[in-house]
Amino acid sequence: MEQKILDCTLRDGGLVNRFYFTDDFVRGLYQANLQAGIDYMEFGYKASEALFDRREFGKWKFCREEDLRAVVGDNKTSMKISVMADVGRTDYSKDILEKKDSVIDMVRIAAYAEQMGEAMEMVSCCKERGYETSVNIMAISNNTDEEIDRALETVSKSRADAVYVVDSYGSFYPEQIKALTKRYIRLAGNGRKVGIHAHNNQQLAFANTIEAMRCGAALLDVTVNGMGRGAGNCGSEQLLGYIGSSEKYNELPVIEFIENHVLLLKQAGILWGYDIPYLLTGQGCKHPSKAIEFVENHRTEYAGLFRQMMGA
């Protein structure tokens, strides 16, 4: 299948700053992605306002229709708009409108392997309302082969348009991504796209994205300057540079956006990117919360963290 690039800077990057992006940043990213030829732009989450207080998060935690349209209008462009909906954290029957009433094109449903039942209900609801859908199976580095196979079998019987290999903890190596991508295509393919969402705990997000692409992954997740929770993600500029400038893709607008907007976030003290604590949680297949705490508090007891992560 033809590869498509999906920018999820506002969604994964929003985990770094509680989704408090300025309107200037969001409009600038939208324009940069358009000029770069990005195929999908994910604006954030469709989180339930009954579960999350709007006073504690920026608006891209909730992606209200009026906020989306304030940036994209009717989005009369070739770039599609996506949002993410977490199982158990989205009131999808209420907050996801009929497609004819929304500028959103794709709803990506995030779930753990044991949550496939509810994920399929969300897929059905979103498909009936007219959306493209994907199922992003999270934290699979902590699942057995049998658990992954059962989840993929469930997806294979659904109406989902895509299923994602998600390296939530940045634990996988390219040879593992190769095997997983082929497995996803074999077990849940059938004309369904397979995507890759990589984290950079071991500085392998870019390499793993390339490996998945070479094995047939058709949806490739990126963020500008790798912005994302903890160690971050595969950088847009990295993948665009690898693919090379063409009639479709152009790296320069993303480089300009980083220069004009992302550097200001870093200067303001927003933290993300590779560091030793993220390496250790990646190697230990652990959630990066402990590493995030280490980095934010400027702690350097790396050996103690190593023993904790590895049970040494």
Side-chain angles (χ1 to χ4, degrees), residues 8-21 25 45 57 61 199 223-233 262 265-266 268-273 278 292 295-296:
C8 52
T9 304
L10 297 181
R11 202 271 308 164
D12 214 320
L15 297 169
V16 175
N17 68 349
R18 299 179 74 82
F19 303 92
Y20 284 113
F21 295 101
F25 184 99
Y45 283 99
F57 298 93
K61 178 77 169 177
H199 280 259
T223 63
V224 293
N225 204 208
M227 185 181 186
R229 182 197 67 194
N233 305 90
V262 178
L265 292 181
K266 290 193 168 184
I270 304 298
L271 294 173
W272 73 88
Y278 299 126
I292 291 171
V295 172
E296 288 181 345

Side-chain angles (χ1 to χ4, degrees), residues 38-49:
I38 298 298
D39 300 286
Y40 290 82
M41 178 173 169
E42 188 161 77
F43 273 73
Y45 283 99
K46 270 287 187 183
S48 169
E49 296 188 37

Side-chain angles (χ1 to χ4, degrees), residues 104-246:
I104 296 167
D105 299 288
M106 181 187 223
V107 179
R108 301 208 298 170
I109 293 150
Y112 294 102
E114 63 271 20
Q115 296 174 318
M116 286 298 103
E118 187 172 350
M120 295 307 103
E121 293 176 10
M122 292 175 69
V123 167
S124 295
C125 176
C126 292
K127 291 298 292 182
E128 287 167 6
R129 294 182 183 183
Y131 296 96
E132 294 179 40
T133 60
S134 78
V135 179
N136 293 32
I137 310 174
M138 299 185 292
I140 56 169
S141 54
N142 285 343
N143 287 122
T144 65
D145 289 345
E146 292 76 15
E147 289 168 339
I148 294 171
D149 287 353
R150 282 198 297 271
L152 292 175
E153 181 182 4
T154 302
V155 174
S156 73
K157 297 174 182 176
S158 76
R159 298 171 62 193
D161 299 286
V163 60
Y164 265 81
V165 178
V166 182
D167 186 9
S168 299
Y169 302 153
S171 299
F172 289 126
Y173 297 99
E175 60 269 25
Q176 294 169 298
I177 291 293
K178 178 179 181 179
L180 282 165
T181 303
K182 291 183 174 181
R183 189 175 188 175
Y184 273 51
I185 291 171
R186 185 178 74 253
L187 296 179
N190 250 353
R192 185 176 288 107
K193 297 185 180 81
V194 169
I196 175 69
H197 181 86
H199 280 259
N200 205 38
N201 297 61
Q202 301 189 80
Q203 299 197 88
L204 289 171
F206 178 40
N208 285 342
T209 300
I210 291 173
E211 190 64 33
M213 180 178 72
R214 293 179 62 192
C215 293
L219 287 169
L220 313 172
D221 279 15
V222 296
T223 63
V224 293
N225 204 208
M227 185 181 186
R229 182 197 67 194
N233 305 90
C234 176
S236 309
E237 64 282 2
Q238 291 177 292
L239 188 62
L240 290 168
Y242 176 77
I243 292 173
S245 294
S246 63

